[in-house]
Amino acid sequence: MQRPRDPQARRDALTAAVIESIADVGIGRTTHRSVATRAGLPLGATTYYFPTLDDLVEAGLRRAAEIFDRDLTSWAERLAAAADPATELAAIAAEYAADAVPARLAYELSAAAMRDERLRPLAHRRLGGLREVLEAAFGRCAYAVGAVLDGAVLQALTTGVPVDREALASVVRRLTRTGDDREPLRRDRA
């Protein structure tokens, strides 16, 4: 289905299609042609709006950053309202891994940012936002909790085995059982 010749609608369709492609096949296998096909647009539209594949991928990852921001806002609200933040975080992790598109995008972004400095601000934005959410709920242990969270989600995505909620909650509780664990980290160390 060909999209109307509305430039913004075409850009939006291409950006949505590149997000789908990255989540489905990864950055390395995303092409102008596959994105055009997913968007229902001619191949020339991708190169017209995004001359290089890097431009196309970056546009998709920028849009994905907006998705990360919405997710983090939701997570912060859930953790703040939770009677047991460790159990709630484990539920969030399980849901995040089960809805693989945003999680895959996050890990694709991290991997790409290791090689492409232009993408590092987006990766920092995601990681910094996650750190803030976790600091509010878990204080000084936010870094360790984030590492365990990332490991659990990445393992679930890699193996296809759901996150073990009970085990994750137990590990988070152990990590956060320190004296002044709710004291936030100083910003210069974050």
Side-chain angles (χ1 to χ4, degrees), residues 11 14-15 18 22 27 30-33 35 43-61 116 118-119:
R11 281 181 173 277
L14 290 167
T15 304
V18 77
I22 291 169
I27 290 173
T30 294
T31 65
H32 273 105
R33 185 174 305 282
V35 170
L43 177 59
T46 61
T47 55
Y48 178 79
Y49 293 107
F50 305 100
T52 70
L53 188 56
D54 286 344
D55 294 335
L56 183 61
V57 167
E58 184 177 356
L61 292 175
D116 186 344
R118 292 181 315 154
L119 297 175

Side-chain angles (χ1 to χ4, degrees), residues 141-189:
C141 298
Y143 180 82
V145 170
V148 169
L149 173 67
D150 267 344
V153 172
L154 186 58
Q155 185 176 23
L157 290 172
T158 303
T159 64
V161 176
V163 170
D164 183 334
R165 291 179 186 210
E166 289 180 28
L168 180 56
S170 176
V171 168
V172 170
R173 278 190 212 97
R174 287 182 196 156
L175 283 173
T176 59
R177 240 186 266 149
T178 60
D180 58 345
D181 61 332
R182 292 215 174 243
E183 179 185 324
L185 292 170
R186 290 188 5 230
R187 285 285 163 224
D188 60 350
R189 293 184 63 205

